[in-house]
Amino acid sequence: MLRVELGPKMVHVATIEPGMVDTELPDHVTDPDASKLMADLIHDIDVLQSADIAETVAFMAAVPRHVNLTEITILPTAQAV
């Protein structure tokens, strides 16, 4: 595990799991149902923006060296799952 190898060297290892982010992803999904679901979600709710993810990364990087945030799930407030 990367965290086991790098933790003693005080290197933060974390997972960020974002919900729906306003990106071009729906344009590249080949499954029409999945593409429509994503496009509808982007249209219907206030989805995350790239700046939201960047701020989360900056927050995680700014914690003290002895603190490791192992996992953060970030979702739009209106996204059910």
Side-chain angles (χ1 to χ4, degrees):
M1 233 167 118
L2 194 57
R3 189 173 298 114
V4 172
E5 289 180 34
L6 298 177
K9 298 176 182 178
M10 302 304 284
V11 175
H12 294 172
V13 177
T15 302
I16 298 175
E17 298 178 4
M20 194 64 206
V21 182
D22 188 9
T23 67
E24 73 283 347
L25 180 62
D27 299 335
H28 300 284
V29 174
T30 58
D31 181 323
D33 293 332
S35 182
K36 181 177 179 346
L37 177 72
M38 287 186 279
D40 289 347
L41 194 58
I42 288 173
H43 179 264
D44 293 342
I45 69 169
D46 188 17
V47 297
L48 300 171
Q49 300 299 311
S50 57
D52 300 322
I53 306 305
E55 288 176 19
T56 303
V57 171
F59 169 76
M60 293 175 80
V63 297
R65 289 190 71 189
H66 69 280
V67 175
N68 192 46
L69 301 170
T70 58
E71 182 177 320
I72 290 184
T73 302
I74 176 172
L75 299 172
T77 302
Q79 183 176 339
V81 176

